[in-house]
Amino acid sequence: MQVIDRRQNPKAKSLGNRQRFLRRIKSQIRKAVNEAIENRSVADVDSGEKVSVTTSDIGEPTFGFDSSEGDRSYVIPGNHDYQRGDRIRKPSGGGSGSGSGGSPDGDGEDAFVFMLTREEFLDLFFEDLELPNLAKRKLKSITSTKWHRAGYANDGSPQRLNKSQTMRRSLARRIALKRPRLHELDQLEEELEAARAEGKEAEHDEEVTRLVRRIEQLRYRMQAVPFLDPVDLRYNRFEQTPKPTTQAVMFCLMDTSASMTESLKDLAKRFYILLHLFLTRHYRAVELVFIRHTYTAAEVDEETFFHGRETGGTVVSSALEEMLRIVRERYPVQDWNIYAAQASDGHNFDHDMPRTIALLQREILDLCQYYAYIEVGEEESSYTSALWNGYSQLESHPQFARAKVLDPTEIYPVFHKLFASTRHAS
Amino acid sequence: MENRKLLYQGSEWNFELLRRVHDAIEEIAIGEMGLNVYRNQIEVITSEQMLDAYTSLGMPLMYSHWSFGKRYSREEMLYRKGAQSLAYELVINSDPCVAYVIEENSMTMQTLVTAHASFGHNHFFKNNYLFRQWTRANRVLDDLAYAKRFIAECEERYGLQAVERTLDAAHALMSQGVSRYAPKHPARAKDIAVKAQSRKSHQEATFNDLWRTLPKPKERHKSDRDDDQDDNDSTLRLPEENLLRFLSLHAPKLKDWQREVLDIVRKTAQYFYPQQQTQLMNEGCATFVHYQIMNRLHETGQVDEAAMLEFLHMHTAVVTQPDFDDRRFRGINPYALGFAMMKDIERICETPEPEDLEWFPEIAGRGNFMQVLRDAWADYRDESFVLQFLSPHLIRKLRLFAVSDVSGSPHLSVEAIHDEAGYREIRRRMAHQYDLSKRDPEIEVTEADLKGNRRLVLTHRVRDGKILSSDDCNRVLRHVANLWGYRVRLIEIDADTGSTLNDYDAVALP
């Protein structure tokens, strides 16, 4: 007989099988992701996701009998009072009747539900997307450095002395070298005191002599083995490492004048959600800035951004100026990866166009990793909007992209088009 | 033997205790019960590894396939929600016999599992005639390792998708992938190495008829044609019930690796075939053995009252048989019926009643029930075991009754109950229920035109009006067509009248 401990064997043997399974149900996962986007706020989409899959997609067919046809017989336990020849009305629905009398809860096999982990969810979702200019900025962004602890050192400046480590070593050394403790000495002295107090001729008493010699020995040892020795000293060690920029800020710019209806804002929201999800894949911290504008612009919270009502003319450049101001104040370009997504129905005052283009061309595009403009609309039309027209001269700029979205189903494809890994390669 | 000292106390286990308990059990199992087992190997695993193993068809090594991932997802979810507990044990029919125990189990549980798996199942695997004929215990793990490696290599070489398509199709035909008759030459240990070696070369050498349509030297052309016809009849050997074997040998368009994949799946199916035919007996045997052993350990003072109570609690849960109108009813529990029948045999041997003398003249009152049980475990399968040993006593105790469900009738009718007139009928029907060949549809390859339109014809002989469910049938047929490479037809013929009931047709994807 042999007992073998297999607990150390590699875990998650079935991981490969699980991945094969996920690959198979990818289309369902896409659907689940879309549903998640509909119901959650911009920053709160990327948790795990429950996916339900119908068995027809993942069923494993075999030749089996049609349960509603043919004659069957069963032997089953627990007869109470049936006699031979009794007839029992079949349960309605005409299923197999007795036999495996299905449970009233009806736990069938038709809907197969399971949880995707957050990683699986996002991996599948962003499979073939890539952040534009990611590599470039990474190289560029290693500009600052950071101190962090890196164990202990034998020497260092006094303010870095690590007391507990030092004492720990001193204690170990003292025990190893048998340094007597203070209270041992005290005890012996007390005993000597007591012996002397008992009178007698102290100098010749055997006990007293022994104690005196012992005390001498201890005193000598205490001097020979110091309480704290230079070899005990330990200092905190710090190392300097370059700090890569792992943060990004995402500017959501939107025209919120009356022409932007709820449904258009919803289209924009889905786009922003995708972008936010996407950025959190690549950066440790992603901050959101919502800027809405009519003829003036202001930074607002998400609720106001998507649901506030305002009317007034449209001056796009006001939003861009607001963005520049915020970047200057809070997001120094050397530390932050800056992304901006502008959603609009395309309307802008004609007189503002030159200024808008100039702002983008001279300042904003240069500090952004990527600037995406999506034009939302309710139906296809031949009319070309002021912004679409004006932005066409930015097309050649590598950091700029634009696309039109008319329907929620187009969001993902459009996003994909804007951020596909092949885009900037082509 | 009496009044030994306790083997363990409390619930903590360690490797030393596992060993000591195994040895104590071995003494009872072999010394007193006369069991004959393969060497034992007990492996301690985590619950996660247990989930892994039993979602891969209960095998420790298995090739990769998405359906195992699907099963894992489901089981893991149920387990995490607490809707389902893990299997306590898993045992592989191999030599040495590998039993898995989970680290979370208590020592009593480990003792139970050792008795149940390492002696009960192990004895059954080694002695039952079906396993002796069909499975080669000393090669199982090697075969699995080979299959895993082969499939992984194929995935690398031909792509995941291609391998997955072939496996999907093969899995769909798994229950039509067994040969129901014993091999002509029972395998002997010394043949095995040679066979393993020659199998691949044999496969390469197996001549495929279609390849003969290639141009040949002119002078021999005509005579070959004649041979062709003869060969066709003799090599195809129609009708053929083993669809997987037929396809792997004769499907015109399959690549060599695909044939090997089909063979791997076919062998896996074949490996499980004896298990399917003996589930009742196998579980009954293991349950009876663990029950005997735990009681002996207790009698001899080797386990204490606390352990015994814990054991009885688990044992009772395992052998519970809910009544048909109970919410928990999921058909006959093989543990319950198997154990009850074996306890019943013990009763018949030891303290028979007049009725038993009449029904079981050969064993009633004979004493030595272990001998009777050992013979039964060796020589029967579920169907014949029930037919031979289901007693009136047990039929009454379980209050068994037979109902029949005729299609078209609004009523079920009670055909037999647990009374004098019904015992034999109930026993006959119960045995019938365990007959696998009646449970699976009877589908054969009846025609394969290798020359003309290359159509393959399958025939389903329909009994009792039980036709195939058409949805699944169409989907499986598409798999068959993809393997075959040409049009495939399935005809359903009533076994009694010979009339055609259904006709399915599928074409291969380009």
Side-chain angles (χ1 to χ4, degrees), chain A residues 1-18 20-24 50 55-91 95-105 107-109 111-115, chain B residues 15 18-19 22 40-46 48-49 52 60 64-74 77 103 155 160-161 164 168 172 176 321-325 327 329 332 398-407 409-415 417-418 426 429-430 433 439 441 443 460 464-469 472 475-476 490:
Chain A
M1 204 277 291
Q2 220 182 345
V3 182
I4 300 177
D5 191 352
R6 290 265 188 238
R7 285 171 294 177
Q8 302 311 313
N9 277 18
K11 279 184 183 161
K13 259 196 208 166
S14 57
L15 206 63
N17 289 332
R18 189 175 162 92
R20 283 176 172 77
F21 177 47
L22 290 180
R23 192 166 45 78
R24 211 169 158 102
K50 216 181 234 177
T55 28
S56 65
D57 299 305
I58 49 157
E60 296 160 82
T62 52
F63 284 126
F65 293 120
D66 185 338
S67 61
S68 61
E69 294 281 340
D71 309 335
R72 284 174 175 74
S73 85
Y74 312 92
V75 177
I76 46 179
N79 182 18
H80 305 297
D81 40 32
Y82 290 128
Q83 292 295 325
R84 191 153 74 100
D86 279 358
R87 282 143 67 85
I88 308 164
R89 177 159 283 280
K90 283 186 197 173
S96 60
S98 66
S100 56
S103 94
D105 306 318
D107 50 351
E109 273 217 295
F112 185 97
V113 180
F114 70 104
M115 283 296 282
Chain B
F15 289 95
L18 285 184
R19 202 176 296 276
H22 173 273
N40 271 315
Q41 181 164 318
I42 295 175
E43 305 196 356
V44 182
I45 59 177
T46 62
E48 191 193 345
Q49 288 169 319
D52 264 340
S64 303
H65 188 252
W66 63 271
S67 64
F68 306 138
K70 166 185 146 190
R71 225 158 291 165
Y72 187 88
S73 302
R74 179 193 291 281
M77 182 103 145
E103 63 172 348
E155 283 178 345
L160 284 176
Q161 297 265 344
E164 187 170 287
D168 283 353
Q176 275 70 42
Q321 173 65 65
D323 287 346
F324 77 97
D325 51 359
R327 276 194 52 168
F329 182 74
I332 304 259
L398 293 172
R399 308 184 71 81
L400 293 176
F401 68 119
V403 293
S404 81
D405 175 359
V406 177
S407 78
S409 154
H411 293 99
L412 305 169
S413 64
V414 177
E415 304 267 304
I417 65 158
H418 41 90
I426 284 181
R429 284 170 182 251
M430 184 82 140
Q433 240 163 267
R439 238 195 288 171
I443 296 170
H460 173 219
D464 300 327
K466 288 198 269 186
I467 56 169
L468 296 176
S469 114
D472 278 349
R475 298 174 67 195
V476 179
L490 184 139

Side-chain angles (χ1 to χ4, degrees), chain B residues 161-202:
Chain B
Q161 297 265 344
V163 176
E164 187 170 287
R165 266 201 297 276
T166 311
L167 275 175
D168 283 353
H171 282 185
L173 293 173
M174 241 172 145
S175 40
Q176 275 70 42
V178 291
S179 298
R180 292 185 164 74
Y181 307 100
K184 278 180 199 152
H185 313 288
R188 272 167 301 159
K190 61 174 179 175
D191 295 342
I192 288 163
V194 187
K195 267 195 174 173
Q197 189 62 45
S198 69
R199 194 160 52 87
K200 201 170 156 46
S201 55
H202 166 78

